Amino acid sequence: THKVCDYTRRASRESLSERQKATGTMVKPMKNVKIVKKRTNKFIRHQSDRYAKVDESWRKPKGIDSRVRRRFKGQYLMPSIGYGSNRKTRHLMPDGFQKFVVNNLGDLELLLMHNRTYAAEIAHNVSAKNRKNIVERARQLNVKVTNANAKLRSEESE
């Protein structure tokens, strides 16, 4: 009854050559475990569909007569520990890596021994000049960068 994420296979197929160009060489993740999500749609707040002022983000119902809190059949489901992900695949991206946000070259050096577990993601507030240096160093260290092409203008447009 568990849903297996189909996008894991799709992500590995699409634009393989583009990613190889971005990172230089293709780094393979250490683990190749299938990601199984027990539930993919969000838990929404009781009566959020009824009132505009009640936001959809989950809040536990606390009322003494609440049908949702008492888990009546046909009501909204409440989040519980049983919906948690497998510890081996928790926080994994579809390509098998975990994200590691990099702000500077020093942060990137931390991934030297963990390049098959973590993929670098350059923080949004890093300048284009520093991005170029980080991407170049990542290529030398054989570290995958998820957003290597961000904020990089081609030389033709300059």
Side-chain angles (χ1 to χ4, degrees):
T1 59
H2 298 310
K3 295 178 188 172
V4 176
C5 287
D6 186 41
Y7 59 83
T8 54
R9 279 180 244 118
R10 218 177 313 127
S12 62
R13 266 186 273 136
E14 65 190 26
S15 68
L16 194 68
S17 61
E18 289 176 22
R19 279 191 266 141
Q20 283 176 333
K21 288 175 195 168
T23 56
T25 57
M26 195 63 195
V27 187
K28 287 204 160 94
M30 198 175 298
K31 297 174 189 162
N32 193 7
V33 186
K34 188 171 275 191
I35 300 172
V36 176
K37 304 276 186 192
K38 293 179 187 168
R39 184 183 165 95
T40 53
N41 44 351
K42 290 190 154 201
F43 291 98
I44 64 167
R45 188 176 177 181
H46 181 49
Q47 292 193 332
S48 62
D49 56 340
R50 193 169 182 188
Y51 303 106
K53 64 187 175 186
V54 178
D55 194 36
E56 278 198 353
S57 60
W58 175 254
R59 298 289 184 278
K60 185 168 171 58
K62 303 246 172 62
I64 55 170
D65 295 328
S66 173
R67 301 179 298 184
V68 176
R69 183 189 60 79
R70 289 156 69 192
R71 299 193 178 129
F72 281 16
K73 188 165 58 174
Q75 304 305 313
Y76 289 129
L77 296 173
M78 290 199 295
S80 64
I81 199 67
Y83 289 108
S85 298
N86 181 353
R87 184 171 276 178
K88 290 177 185 167
T89 61
R90 199 175 297 162
H91 307 300
L92 274 190
M93 295 188 294
D95 59 6
F97 289 98
Q98 289 185 350
K99 252 186 223 171
F100 183 82
V101 180
V102 170
N103 289 294
N104 52 43
L105 284 170
D107 290 352
L108 190 65
E109 301 290 334
L110 296 171
L111 298 181
L112 176 63
M113 300 299 291
H114 306 286
N115 64 340
R116 295 194 54 208
T117 309
Y118 294 96
E121 180 167 294
I122 305 172
H124 76 282
N125 55 355
V126 176
S127 68
K129 183 180 85 174
N130 289 342
R131 260 170 207 275
K132 207 181 254 185
N133 296 339
I134 289 173
V135 170
E136 183 57 41
R137 184 68 180 138
R139 192 173 289 129
Q140 293 167 6
L141 296 175
N142 200 17
V143 172
K144 180 181 167 127
V145 180
T146 58
N147 56 350
N149 297 328
K151 288 191 183 179
L152 290 180
R153 289 188 300 196
S154 62
E155 292 178 18
E156 298 165 9
S157 63
E158 289 179 0

